[in-house]
Amino acid sequence: MSVSNLLENWAQVRHEHPNNDKPHDPYKWAMAIDLDACTGCNACSIACYAENNIPVVGKERFQHGQQMHWMRVERYWDEDGREFPDQGFQFLPMMCQQCEAAPCETVCPVAATNHTADGLNSQIYNRCIGSRYCSANCPFKVRYFNWYDYPTDEMVWPAEMQQQMNPDVSVRSKGVMEKCTFCVQRLSAAKVKAKGEGRIVAEGEVQTACQQACPTSAISFGNLVNPDSRVHKQWAAQQVELDKDKQAKNEEEEASELRGYRILEELRAYPSVMYLERVRESAV
Amino acid sequence: MSKRHLLALYGNFEEAEAVVQELRNATIKGFDVNDDMIVKSPIEHPEVERFLGDKPVYVQWFTLVGALLGGILGFSLISGAQANFYMQLKGGKPIVPFPPNFVLTYEMFILGGVFITILGFLICAGLPAKRSPLYSTKVSVDNIAILVEADESAISELKAIFTKHKALEIQEEAGK
Amino acid sequence: MIDSGSVKQMAGHPFDRRDFLKVLGWSGAAVALSGCGNTSVEDGRETVVSYVEANDYMVPGVGVYFNSTCAQCDAGCSINGRVREGRVLKLEGNPDSAINKGRLCGLGQAGVQHHYNPDRVREPLLRNGNKGEAISWEKAYALIAEKLAGVSGEEIAFLSGGVSGHLKVLLGNYLDSLGTKNHFVYEAIAPSVVRAANLKAFGVEMPRYRFDKAQVVLSFGADFLGSWVSPVHFSQQYAQFRKGVNGQRGVLIQVESKMTLTGANADRWLAVKPGTEGVLALGIINALGMATGEVAELVKGYDKARVSRETGVSTGQIDKIAALLKLRSPSLVLAGNAAEGYAHGSQNAAAINLLNQVLGNVGKTIEAPVSVPFPQMVPSKGNTVALKNMNDGLAAGKYKVVFNFAANPVFTAPGAFKFKDNFAKAGFKVAFAHYLDETALQADLVLPLDSALEDWGTQVPEYMTEGAQINIQQPLMERLHANTRGMGDILLGLIKQKKADEYKGFEDYYAYLRGAVLQNKGALGGGGVEDDTFWNDTLTQGIVKLAGTTTSLAAHASAAGLVLPAAAEADEHFPLHLIPGVTASLRDGRHTNQPWLQESPDPLTTIVWDSWVEIHPKKAAELGIVEGDIVQVTSKTGSVKAQVYLFPGIHPEAISIPVGRGHDAMGRYAKGYGVNPFQIMDAVFEAATGELAMHETRVKISKTGQRVLVVKDEGSAGALQMGRKIAGRVSTDQVDLSKEV
Amino acid sequence: MKDIREDIAWAKINQDVMKSLENPRKLYWVILFLALAAFGFGVGCEIYQYRTGMGVENVNNPQVWGLYIATFIFWIGMSHSGTLLSAILHLMHADWRKPIYRFAEAMTTFSLMTAGLFVMVHIGRLWQFYYSLPYPNDRGIWPNFQSPLLWDAMAIFTYLSSSVLFLFVGMIPDLAIARDNMQPGWRQKLYTLLALGWEGTDRQWRNFRVTYLTIACFLIPLAVSVHSIVASDFAMSQQPGWHVTSFPPYFVAGALYSGCAAIITLFIILRYVFRFETYMTLPILKKIVRLTFAIAMVWTYLNAVEFAAVWYSHDEASKAVLIQKMTGTYAPFWWGMIFCGSVVPLVFAFKRFQTNIPVLFAVSLLLNLGMWLERWMIVAPTFSHGYYPWTWDHEQWPSLVAWGMVFASFGWFTLLFMIFCKVFPSVSMYEVKEMVYHRTLHLKKSENAEQGAH
């Protein structure tokens, strides 16, 4: 806490991330979700429940909007006066966007949510006091609060069901906020393994649970810094840049013919998830 | 030489003022009007200062010191803590950001100011104080009291002055 | 060939895999908040081995993965179960399987909740009045033997869901030993009519569909992304189809009266009048103008105007589809639940197959299937004719002993069958059950089964892709409850009552299975390999891949006998069609008690934990109904009450209620949630096959005056993005997919 | 009409006020009992909530804040008028504040304490509350100083401690009076202790005056900062409907408004319960009423400014929130707020109502209801109509537990306030004397002047 420490490291503590920072090194976890491939089947969401010990809250609490699905699949259709939604629906898997300049991080009174070195928006459960300010300030509303003590709830986790819980993931008690972690337990394991072998995590070495389950491989996940990663290539091909709130491709006069975008980009939260627009045939 | 206290009560301010004027003009041995006289009043009379002479108040210096200290300490404590706590990295913000620290500094500035002012008040006003040897609860109603401390020799003279101005009551400290 | 006779001399040597299971049973490094006192292991009945002397495949805190086969549906996806400290934690897809290639759907993932379900039956239960009394297995076996004594084969009925692999063999042998031919293989939801039509048109029941090769997929109500045949496999092909070859993205057109998950993903979704799928198919053939001969003759009458009038699809749209089909080839046309669910379902399916033939898809996107070279292991496919036949038998009071396995007919039989009442007429009813479902509750004896994650087995999927395969099912962990048994073990026990000598070599089903597999080592690709090594490898892989025998594909879909009835007249009293909605996660309701599935929002309506009635907003406005109104849906057979959800993806002349919910048994997570539309289903049959025509029930709806808040995931903005770019969409002419990674 | 009679004997002032410490009307005990019961109910609710989880508040994942935060702002807001009366009007030498500022200042203190309770009640893990305090520790872990909630905590702490000190310092001469007039007993001991040996000496008064003035000067910017920081909880976020530049002044205006309304209510209650008719006079009430009216109009204006600002910004999401407030699920509450906040105070414009106690009592309650609705309308609609349409409005209504807690907060406040008024002089005796004295001086001066003119 000493002032000398403050003065010595002045330049460092005045660094703004990511605006005037060097890129994450060696990791920056990111995602790309192809909405044209997503069929809305919910496999990702259930995989997430299985991997991350997410409580099933039951009908009554769901009715009160207290569901905990870290990954929710949203469904939209056009309402333009046509009798039928004859171009189908649009599905959108929505989870924590792991923003680079996350609105939730700044507002937590106890610093329970922070930015990690590999570009995740971390949530420290045992530091959380449950002020819910982070969720209040989340534009995507992807943070979920433990309104009840689910681990001790007989309907949620009867003794038998508790044996299914993933020991790598903490069980959250009442009063703490939680959200998608990009399966940080898997990332940590892979990073530790790679570190032991003196390398960085290779492309494809680690998958998130949702990515792994997705029957259409709509989700790709990886290290954005690694030029060999599929995510890096996808982001590059779609000309979406992490620390931009307006993509250069959209400024050009000609339409870009690219379909990569980030949701609510204009809020400058710099999400780490790029979506690829759903495509619909114009010939029928 | 032993000193004794004398307390005189007056019903209104003009009378008290007249007494003070007289005490001021009279030269009584063993009694210094500036050091040995205390005027007690039920309300704050700004006029008292006029006839007691210009007595300085130092509370505001405490205020200045307190506010500055609060502000500086506040800022360095907060920034120092932030600089030491790298876990606190917030996306889009530096580790030691100015706008929030300014707000907190501002609050600390006021907090320091208020606390030290109160401290200053207690010191300057000599509170908490031992009760003076002579006191009348009538002061807390509507009387003005003049408490003097003087040598044994001056007591009678002072008493005479008080009586002359029709003191409602005169209390005398028992001799030692 | 594997049969019981030749297997009997093979002695099963218990492999150390079983030690592994015992060892894995308990660990000191317990799961956070893990339960206590539930497993037999934790009761101290099994050996507890210290980690100090643990086997080398056990590292505390490190997950071990074992391959097995998903038993949540019949698609036969291979799973990769993560096991830690003796507990299976998560199921993932096995990347080596050609079917699911490492992927797994939500239903499959929920398999662990089938295993850990708190409402599993744990002891053999004998009916005593209205209660089940726990009895020992010895007593249960003795009871069955006693009841079977002196009963002729004719008086025994065995109802089961689809079975395959060695279990099918063993079951067959058992039924033989009982001298009965009454094996009713019943699946409430199966593409039986399509199978029959395919057999007619292509010579095979289920050809291989190549979505990945198709440029256009025209699907008549086949929900291949959700619940049809092999959804995970089809989803993968669909992804390739969408990416396209040479940047030519595949186009999906879905024709149905109620939108399915597949319909929701279509480039063009067409709402047709219920039952007119065949008419549209013929109309498209007509519009294509490619048909010759008798086909041309047949479709002559189906001009655009008539087809448009009958189906409700605009002539412009028919033209567009025809033009697209002509332009982009090959294409693939599918007939699904919606097309086959009518009394003229066969005709619909035939018309659709004819379209395939006209388009020249046969052999290109419709390929010959492969089958395993062991016909006795090929799955026996369930259908509803079986149920009808059994029901008739039950009604006539023909059966003295009835067995039920892997089916829940009391829940899924149409109300018009009065199955529950008829079932009661059977003398002695034995249910092999995981849970006390509706049928088990009616049984006299309930035998608790091991979960799919505790049991041994083999499975042959009906729909296979690159080559044939036999899937291995093996325990991923020690039995959770001491007194459950595997179906194979029970059958073996029962068969020993009849043929003790033949089967005395098999201590248990594991031994039987191992013996049977090893005996055919050569045919299974293990010629010259040590027995133990081969068995070990087989278990490790979880799949036995075989060259398989390829059936040839005929292309003789013909117009002969193809008569499509005119669109049905509206019934004055029951003006609406009831379409039973089949959802990807609940199917026929056998997994409704898995809370992940209950809480996983329905992809289309986002409703959870409850049933709903889908009504088109236009129709609802006409009837003065708003979302959340409780309506009474009445058919000739009965009525149910459910909440309304206004859904634009349904034809205004139809309503839809999803099947799978509405249990009044099956434990805490299923009982009392929603309604069961099977209850109000009329007994109308498909003309050619005798299958139940699931879409033929007509209903009327009336308001009850009650209104509830629909429990769903979507917010008050519904499906709208309110002008914000949340889920973006772009049309093909504005995007260049060739630049993509 | 005169604010106060100048011919009251000073001894009677002492007597009247001291009497309030001993025998109030029966109504006092009724109020105290009701307050205690309400508070007890709230304690029950809190125990239930503490054990069960925050879900019993009936809030949900997008709508994570509910009644507690709204009521928190309400109580913070109410505190501001004490400062207005005791500090701002002190600097302006507005003598009429003197009989009433003491209870207003007490109101400040106790409403802050009540607001503080809501912070506690709101957080999900009350047992870990201390994480939010910046205490030095070996692990080097600190709270997040970037969070407006932390500024809030800091501001409220500063405000509360300053207010308590201000209240105390201003009360020292009165405590001395109480000490001098009280029968021996625990009370006299208490007053003796708290009076710090005050005897009204010239030195004491001299320093007292400077100190009082200095703290008053500090309190004014402090009060403004406190409520603008509370506004920052919202304005510093990115959410539509919250990220509004005019929020800080809007909050401050709202705070003064609700505080003034509360002062009217308490004025009327205290006047009756403690028989303070001589001191809490109708002319003073009239002045407060007029002040309240002016603030009401400022508040109305700022409401309009919020709309105008959003309208001109073309921020669609913010616009949608405002439109939703007016027309959506919350419309009855929003229009209720407009009615209570902007229309009802028009009653004050009529002279005959300005001193009509029953009318004023009813109106002041309505104003406070309006201001409570305002806070709820700030908190709730943004949650139910934020950036992300998928999570809009889950038909979320506060539960009985939440209402119970809000109800209890009034009990808690009343309890503290009523006990204070019974234990400490709620009318400043020495300042009323000053007021009387100034009036007599003034009268004398004008008499002299008149005589001189002749």
Side-chain angles (χ1 to χ4, degrees), chain C residues 666-714:
Chain C
M666 259 178 100
R668 65 194 79 173
Y669 297 116
K671 188 178 174 181
Y673 292 104
V675 297
N676 181 8
F678 283 117
Q679 277 174 4
I680 60 167
M681 226 173 264
D682 295 338
V684 181
F685 300 97
E686 205 280 318
T689 57
E691 288 288 319
L692 189 68
M694 299 251 290
H695 289 55
E696 281 289 4
T697 305
R698 304 298 180 89
V699 293
K700 63 180 175 190
I701 59 177
S702 51
K703 286 206 278 186
T704 61
Q706 290 161 280
R707 187 172 295 170
V708 293
L709 215 58
V710 176
V711 185
K712 54 178 185 171
D713 197 43
E714 72 176 355

Side-chain angles (χ1 to χ4, degrees), chain A residues 36 42 67 69 75 78 83 86 89 155 160 162 168 211 214 259 261 277-281 284, chain C residues 33 82 84 103 122 249 264-265 268 601 604 616 618 645 669 713 725-726 728-730 740:
Chain A
D36 197 33
N42 259 336
Q67 63 269 38
H69 48 26
R75 172 281 278 118
D78 300 330
E83 188 175 8
D86 56 1
F89 293 170
M155 206 43 196
E160 290 89 342
Q162 287 186 1
D168 295 342
Q211 177 198 17
C214 179
R259 57 196 185 103
Y261 71 103
E277 285 172 330
R278 170 161 244 196
V279 185
R280 277 298 163 259
E281 180 60 46
V284 287
Chain C
L33 281 160
R82 179 173 182 228
R84 247 190 78 170
R103 307 293 166 173
R122 299 167 192 211
R249 177 179 170 278
N265 283 291
R268 186 59 65 184
L604 302 181
H616 192 273
K618 204 174 84 179
Y645 183 79
Y669 297 116
D713 197 43
K725 188 175 179 182
I726 308 285
R729 192 177 69 189
V730 63
E740 290 189 3

Side-chain angles (χ1 to χ4, degrees), chain B residues 20 134 163:
Chain B
V20 171
L134 291 173
T163 326

Side-chain angles (χ1 to χ4, degrees), chain A residues 25-274:
Chain A
D25 191 26
Y27 299 111
K28 161 64 205 169
W29 304 112
M31 244 184 208
I33 300 182
D34 185 352
L35 298 182
D36 197 33
C38 173
T39 66
C41 71
N42 259 336
C44 51
S45 179
I46 294 178
C48 183
Y49 271 78
E51 173 75 16
N52 291 305
N53 302 338
I54 300 175
V56 170
V57 299
K59 187 179 176 187
E60 196 185 329
R61 289 168 186 167
F62 205 111
Q63 178 174 354
H64 288 147
Q66 293 164 340
Q67 63 269 38
M68 302 297 285
H69 48 26
W70 287 3
M71 183 145 201
R72 60 174 186 246
V73 179
E74 297 164 5
R75 172 281 278 118
Y76 299 97
W77 67 64
D78 300 330
E79 214 155 87
D80 49 7
R82 279 180 295 181
E83 188 175 8
F84 301 112
D86 56 1
Q87 288 201 306
F89 293 170
Q90 283 144 275
F91 294 103
L92 179 94
M94 188 71 199
M95 68 338 267
C96 174
Q97 304 284 294
Q98 313 287 356
C99 305
E100 276 294 284
C104 56
E105 289 171 3
T106 352
V107 297
C108 174
V110 294
T113 180
N114 297 290
H115 210 69
T116 69
D118 47 0
L120 298 180
N121 175 246
S122 70
Q123 177 73 23
I124 307 166
Y125 303 129
N126 42 11
R127 178 70 179 170
C128 179
I129 59 165
S131 78
R132 279 110 76 195
Y133 201 173
C134 51
S135 172
N137 207 19
C138 172
F140 310 99
K141 300 296 177 202
V142 286
R143 292 178 149 263
Y144 299 93
F145 189 72
N146 282 275
W147 299 108
Y148 296 95
D149 201 17
Y150 294 114
T152 62
D153 191 314
E154 256 304 294
M155 206 43 196
V156 178
W157 272 309
E160 290 89 342
M161 294 273 201
Q162 287 186 1
Q163 299 181 66
Q164 180 273 323
M165 286 177 163
N166 186 353
D168 295 342
V169 178
S170 340
V171 174
R172 286 79 59 185
S173 67
K174 73 175 173 215
V176 301
M177 191 60 81
E178 60 183 66
K179 64 169 191 73
C180 163
T181 63
F182 269 3
C183 286
V184 70
Q185 66 281 6
R186 296 184 175 204
L187 303 183
S188 303
K191 278 191 335 194
V192 168
K193 182 164 174 274
K195 197 173 180 181
E197 292 165 13
R199 57 180 177 87
I200 64 161
V201 175
E203 168 68 1
E205 196 178 338
V206 61
Q207 288 185 304
T208 61
C210 52
Q211 177 198 17
Q212 192 176 18
C214 179
T216 56
S217 309
I219 303 174
S220 41
F221 170 84
N223 183 0
L224 196 60
V225 184
N226 179 2
D228 298 330
S229 75
R230 182 172 153 77
V231 160
H232 177 93
K233 287 178 192 159
Q234 277 178 305
W235 280 59
Q238 297 293 341
Q239 298 175 19
V240 174
E241 285 173 81
L242 185 65
D243 57 351
K244 295 279 187 308
D245 59 289
K246 284 195 194 86
Q247 303 300 336
K249 63 173 182 175
N250 300 331
E251 305 289 288
E252 291 163 15
E253 268 178 40
E254 296 270 310
S256 69
E257 299 208 318
L258 295 173
R259 57 196 185 103
Y261 71 103
R262 290 184 296 172
I263 297 173
L264 300 178
E265 199 169 46
E266 67 277 13
L267 297 180
R268 296 190 193 177
Y270 310 121
S272 303
V273 181
M274 177 185 76

Side-chain angles (χ1 to χ4, degrees), chain D residues 191-376:
Chain D
Y191 298 139
T192 310
L193 184 74
L194 291 179
L196 300 177
W198 178 273
E199 290 187 351
T201 67
D202 52 326
R203 177 183 170 199
Q204 287 169 341
W205 279 119
R206 207 162 43 236
N207 286 292
F208 178 85
R209 183 172 51 103
V210 176
T211 306
Y212 200 74
L213 196 69
T214 312
I215 302 179
C217 290
F218 271 123
L219 270 186
I220 295 163
L222 178 58
V224 171
S225 83
V226 167
H227 222 58
S228 46
I229 284 176
V230 173
S232 305
D233 287 348
F234 301 93
M236 298 278 166
S237 81
Q238 273 195 328
Q239 299 299 309
W242 286 357
H243 193 66
V244 182
T245 320
S246 64
F247 253 33
Y250 179 53
F251 270 54
V252 173
L256 292 177
Y257 188 11
S258 67
C260 281
I263 283 174
I264 296 175
T265 316
L266 292 178
F267 182 105
I268 293 169
I269 293 176
L270 286 188
R271 184 176 196 265
Y272 175 76
V273 169
F274 294 114
R275 303 180 178 93
F276 279 150
E277 289 86 350
T278 327
Y279 308 98
M280 301 190 179
T281 61
L282 294 182
I284 293 179
L285 185 59
K286 198 180 203 170
K287 286 194 168 73
I288 310 171
V289 165
R290 287 174 174 174
L291 184 65
T292 311
F293 180 71
I295 297 172
M297 293 305 114
V298 171
W299 178 83
T300 306
Y301 163 73
L302 283 167
N303 244 333
V305 162
E306 189 195 341
F307 269 76
V310 169
W311 197 259
Y312 278 85
S313 77
H314 289 285
D315 178 353
E316 290 301 327
S318 303
K319 247 190 216 178
V321 172
L322 287 187
I323 293 170
Q324 148 82 6
K325 276 190 200 180
M326 283 194 294
T327 59
T329 342
Y330 291 110
F333 303 99
W334 194 84
W335 288 108
M337 163 193 115
I338 293 291
F339 176 75
C340 293
S342 296
V343 180
V344 170
L346 294 179
V347 169
F348 290 163
F350 298 96
K351 220 168 183 179
R352 70 186 132 140
F353 292 129
Q354 285 173 355
T355 50
N356 184 328
I357 285 189
V359 168
L360 288 180
F361 190 69
V363 165
S364 69
L365 289 181
L366 276 181
L367 297 189
N368 259 323
L369 174 68
M371 293 320 291
W372 186 85
L373 284 172
E374 180 219 355
R375 275 49 179 254
W376 197 32

